Structures are given as C-alpha cells and as structure tokens.
Amino acid sequence: MSIRTTSDQWWKNGVVYCLDVETFLDGDGDGVGDLAGLADRIDYLAGIGVTTLWLMPFYPTPDRDDGYDITDFLNVDGRLGDLGQFVEVVRTAHDRGLRVIIDLVVNHTSTEHPWFQSARSDPASRHRDWYVWSEDKPDDGEMTETFPGEQGGLWTYDRKAKQYYLHRFYAHQPDLNIANPAVRDEIARIVGFWMQLGVSGFRVDAVPFLIETEGITGAPEVDPHRYLKELRAFISRRKGEAILLGEVNLAPEEQRAFFGDEDGDELHLVFNFTVMQSIYLAMARQDAGPVEEAMRSLPPVPFDSQWATFLRNHDELTLDKLADDERQEVFDAFGPEPDMQLFGRGLRRRLPPMLDGDVDRLKMAYSLLFSLPGTPVLFYGEEIGMGENLAADEREAVRTPMQWSDEPGAGFSTADPEGFPNPIPEGEYGPLAVNVVDQRRDPESLLNWFERLIRRRRETPELGLGCSKVVDNDVPAVLAHRCDWDGATVIALHNFAPEPCRVRIRLDAEEDGDADAVALQDLLDGGYHEIDDPSEVTLELDRYGYRWLRLLRRGQRRMP
Ligand code: NOJ
C-alpha cells in the first residue's frame, strides 16, 4: 500500500474528536472546563486512538452562542486559561501523536468585539467597512434566517451607527465584510498566528455565508470562491500539513464547488450533511435505500479533498435536507415530543436515547459511520454513549459536561454542579449509569468497543483514501458498499433491521479486478470466509449486524 499517501494526506485516514474545552474537564475547580483540564486528558484521547482534536471556540466571548460570538480572535477566554496553557495542550497532544485543529469563526464577530464597537460609534473608524451596513433596511433576497424565529431577521438597526447591519446568525453576531481586503488580511493574520502556535488546521464555521457577498454594497464582481482559494494557498504556504475542514450545509452538487478546482484547492474536508441525514431516515425506515441514494448522489471528490462524516455534533441534528414527510418520519421515530425538536428542522438529542439505548443498533450506526467514504468525526461523549439533557436550553441539551465518573459533578468538576456550563443529565444517561471510569473496567463496554473500532479504522486506509461505491444486494434493509484503493478492497455490510439476515452480493466485476477473489477476511471479528463462487457470495448478518470484509485475492496475505 502507498504509505506515503497515508502520511501526506493524514487527514484522510484520521479520526477527529470534537470537544468544547468548557465542558470537557475542569482543572481548577471553578465549575468551568479549562485548558489545564484538557491537558490532563490528552492521554485518554490518545488512548482511545483518535488522531485529531477539534477544539470548539475557546476565544474571549460574552458566550451568547456557546463561544461562536468572539471578541478577540487572538486570545483565550480567561475562564478557560491562557495562551501559555493553549501551547501546553498543543505540545502535549503532539507528543502523544495527536494533531489539533481549532474553530475558525470569521463570518462574524460578537457585537462586543472592539472592531464592531468602533465601527458603530465612528463613521470614520477604520473598522466601519469591516462590517456590512445599509442606510435602509434591504430586502432579504435569496438569504434566509439560520435560526428561524430566534434571530429577528437578517438586518438589525444600530442606533449609534444609524444604519442597519447584516447578520446571518443572531443579531449579536454582525457579519464581517469579506469583500474588504483588510478583513481578508486580518483573517490571514489570525490563521497565521494559530498555526505558529502549532495547530494543524481549522474547522471553518459557516463557509457559504463567510464567502458570500450578497448584501454587501459595492462588493467587487469576483467569484467568492477566490477568497477560499486564497485562504487555502496561504495556509499551505505557511504549513504544508494544515487543513481546512468546512461547514457547508448544502446539497452535494453545491458542496462540490467548495473543494475547488482540479485536484482540490479550497476546503480539504467538507462535512457530509446529506449522507448523515440519510442515515437517520434509513434507521427510521429500517431500509438502507436512503443511504444508497445519498451515496450515489455524491460527486466524485478531487484527489486533495475528502468528506468528513458524522452522526452528531454540537448543534441540533439538522434534518433540513430531507423532504417534509421524510423529516416527520425521523421525528416520529427518534424525537416525537415537541421539546425534542428545534427550529422546525432538527432534534436536540444525542444518538443513544434516540435509539432507546439499543446497543446493537448504536454500534451498527457507528460502524457505518466509520466505514463510509470520508474522515469520521466524533463529538465528545459519543464514545461512552452519553445522552442529552432536555432541561437545558435549545442546543445546550447536547453540550452537557463530559461524564468521567460517578462522583458528584460526574468527575468533570469538584465545584457545585449548580454552576456548571450546562446541567448534567440524570437517570438512565446520567453519570451514575454512563461514565468513563466504569467503562474502562468493562471489556465489553461501548468505550472499549470504540477503541477497537478506531484502531481497525486506522488500519484500513481503503476506507478513507479509496473510491467507494454501493454494491447491489438482495436485502432491502442491508447497505453493502466497497472501497477500493491501491489494489486493495474492503466491503462493508450494514443491516438496518432488527432481524438477522442472509445477504447475497456479487464479486465478479471485471473492472474491479475481482476475478482473483478467494476469500473475505472479517476485520471486526477476525473470521475468514472462503469464496467458492464470486458471482454469488452469501453472508450472514445479525440483527443490526455489521461487517467489514477485506477481499483477499490469490497470493495476498491476511492482515493481522
Ligand atoms: C455554526 C455553529 O456550528 C453553530 O453552533 C453556531 O451557532 C453558528 N455557526 C454561528 O457561529
């Protein structure tokens, strides 16, 4: 296998772990997670085998949007630590073989950012044109509210500036003016700063909004993607390994443009919202069809690009790409109470409670996630099966503190839980039932299963680097897909139904070089399946069963 590629394109064969410093571990006992706490748990993270940490915003903030409202892009929020501790975290992570990427949130600032304060107070301020202003309230045009009913439109009147300013998110998050070269220079300075402190890239917030110039009076007529190409070129000049992982919640054909031209010269990774949503529909229907359709709808990605796959993140589980009746099917199956739903399009829940704690089904979902074309991204706590707390506001329901132990405060903090950033869940998914300490002791725990899955994923580069395609089979509930890379092939099977089944696939396609197939090695249970007739291979799957099978061709050895 081409080992050179796996290290150059490290992000294609990695496993990303997203965490919020504020809710991970409190090192100083004040009730808020911090960088000192995170530094303490780098060994835990290295131990479960993830390769890349994605740190959610840790910058100074009034915290009205969980830190996505920033007042200083070049600093650490005092509650979480300081730049020195940030460097310690990055250095420790590197020592343990982990890379760190951080959130880059430059579509907007907080209204409390000194740039906005000076822009609104003084028409002659050099920051005035860093934002998007209008004398009169403009039509929304093609633009829509991101948080319907919560953000009070897209344009808000500022009494000091005596003008309206644009905000694609909350009114306290004024959009920056990307068409202004001074803003783009500042963004370059910000990314340059953090790369110098050791980060290996950025999760870029709200990319389509960031580069869009609609609403900006006098914006030059240039392709907004040019800005993204400039950013990519800049980070690559500064640091060859650096990546951009972009939030682009658009249909696949529109997402393609964000990878850029030819070999890929914009985002390295783009979150695959379409496949994610199709998995929920497939689970609700117990029919693999929606995932097959979603995978077939994906455009080929350029050589220097890849999908990022995920099941849950820190936001609501958005189902905005589904038709209304499909979304309703998912709501009925996994979030029927109005209190579980948000913005009319999503669920403020974590996966285990959605699946009523059915561990077989949960493992099937994650096995699928890890076998799909792309780089899997986990949200902290998924590895132990944490649940949500619906008593928390809006999206905060899934942002509760990490559950380390069954101690008071979940081992997250020694302070009074009353002061925690978000309330810890109680009952079935509370820390007495779900925590790291207990699961480490139990070889059969979800945590130990995840460790094995992650190890196997890292040893199976076909999945992240290969070409993937759906394989026809004769059971509607089963998804079969294969990934081919560098003369090697892995076939994955996933059963969306609660009944065991036998499934037939063909492995005789000339173009796939299958003629020499002699056996399948089960990469998850170690079994070995001889192939007598490649035109009809029959395999068994348990209820919600899943298998990863490496095709052995004549003369090829089994892998350990
Ligand atoms: C996307 C982030 O994921 C979300 O949490 C945030 O509210 C918005 N961007 C605004 O920054």
Side-chain angles (χ1 to χ4, degrees), residues 54 56-57 65-69 103 105 107-108 146-147 168-170 173 203 205-206 209 247 313-316 395 399:
W54 154 20
M56 287 169 61
D65 181 16
D66 202 27
Y68 283 90
D69 47 330
D103 241 290
V105 190
N107 170 70
H108 50 267
T146 312
F147 303 127
R168 296 307 304 262
F169 296 100
Y170 294 110
Q173 292 166 316
R203 177 269 186 188
D205 193 59
F209 297 160
E247 184 196 28
N313 65 14
H314 59 285
D315 288 327
E316 80 281 6
R395 294 170 291 164
R399 300 169 179 173

Side-chain angles (χ1 to χ4, degrees), residues 107-144:
N107 170 70
H108 50 267
T109 68
S110 160
T111 42
E112 292 179 33
H113 196 295
W115 301 340
F116 187 75
Q117 287 304 320
S118 111
R120 67 190 288 243
S121 318
D122 176 6
S125 156
R126 75 180 183 97
H127 292 120
R128 182 74 160 205
D129 287 341
W130 286 35
Y131 294 89
V132 184
W133 300 100
S134 175
E135 290 287 340
D136 304 309
K137 191 172 185 181
D139 282 343
D140 290 348
E142 301 277 288
M143 298 187 283
T144 52

